[in-house]
Amino acid sequence: RKQKLQLEDQGKTVMIVAVQGTVVGLIAVADTVKETSKQAITKLTQMGIKTVMLTGDNKRTAEAIGRQVGIDKVLAQVLPEEKVQQIKKLQAEDKKIAMVGDGINDAPALAQADLGIAMGAGTDIAIETGGIVLVKNDLNDVFRSIKLSKMTLNKIKQNMFWALFYNAIGIPIAAFG
């Protein structure tokens, strides 16, 4: 039991091997965390964005991964339909939600979120559901996408200001010669 908990604290999923009801060993498997994931989470945090991990994984394993990359809040052992409910709950608090996912289980949550971001190597349904598709499967691209959209919105506002300014000056001049 102690070894199982230690492995889960390291972010590993533990499977118990038993023969005729007697535990004979443990097998620990783990997804490797990309080096860029921690960088991406740090950049998002610096932008004032709160990060939440919604996962069906074991709570201890998920919390270990969350700590490794600096995620603000971890919600583990969440079923696919519960992901949608968690997003609705956050939206009810007047929060804008961007959901990043890659699997068929993420598709409903991607659709519910204000912005669905699908990983390009994910399932077709996740890719179809996402408003943005990240081709390289790098969380830094989430940061880049948000930064690019903010820059685009600022440019639109700038252009609107100058168009209104120009018309406010130009139309009276044209009307009165």
Side-chain angles (χ1 to χ4, degrees):
R1 174 101 175 124
K2 184 180 174 185
Q3 289 174 324
K4 178 181 181 289
L5 296 176
Q6 287 174 336
L7 290 167
E8 288 176 345
D9 285 340
Q10 295 170 12
K12 297 175 181 168
T13 300
V14 179
M15 295 170 277
I16 299 170
V17 179
V19 175
Q20 296 178 344
T22 304
V23 175
V24 294
L26 301 173
I27 297 174
V29 294
D31 289 327
T32 55
V33 177
K34 290 184 180 182
E35 293 176 23
T36 57
S37 296
K38 183 171 176 57
Q39 296 168 354
I41 298 300
T42 300
K43 289 176 186 175
L44 292 169
T45 302
Q46 289 171 347
M47 288 178 81
I49 295 172
K50 298 281 184 205
T51 55
V52 178
M53 180 168 66
L54 286 172
T55 181
D57 290 343
N58 169 293
K59 183 175 176 150
R60 293 175 69 87
T61 302
E63 287 176 348
I65 299 295
R67 278 191 305 275
Q68 284 178 25
V69 296
I71 290 179
D72 296 314
K73 184 176 182 180
V74 175
L75 300 172
Q77 295 173 286
V78 180
L79 297 173
E81 58 274 10
E82 291 171 339
K83 288 181 182 181
V84 173
Q85 297 307 316
Q86 289 292 335
I87 289 174
K88 285 181 181 179
K89 184 177 170 184
L90 292 168
Q91 288 171 324
E93 297 172 10
D94 269 349
K95 294 182 178 163
K96 297 293 180 197
I97 307 300
M99 164 74 183
V100 180
D102 65 353
I104 192 166
N105 293 334
D106 294 327
L110 287 168
Q112 178 62 43
D114 298 297
L115 173 61
I117 303 172
M119 297 300 232
T123 62
D124 289 344
I125 192 163
I127 291 169
E128 288 295 321
T129 307
I132 296 175
V133 178
L134 304 179
V135 178
K136 295 190 300 184
N137 293 323
D138 183 346
L139 284 180
N140 273 314
D141 288 342
V142 172
F143 166 75
R144 288 183 195 105
S145 297
I146 292 170
K147 187 176 176 184
L148 180 61
S149 67
K150 286 184 177 197
M151 290 169 52
T152 302
L153 186 60
N154 285 339
K155 187 54 74 178
I156 290 169
K157 287 177 182 177
Q158 241 179 19
N159 288 343
M160 288 296 293
F161 168 79
W162 287 112
L164 290 172
F165 177 77
Y166 173 79
N167 285 326
I169 302 285
I171 290 174
I173 291 173
F176 297 110

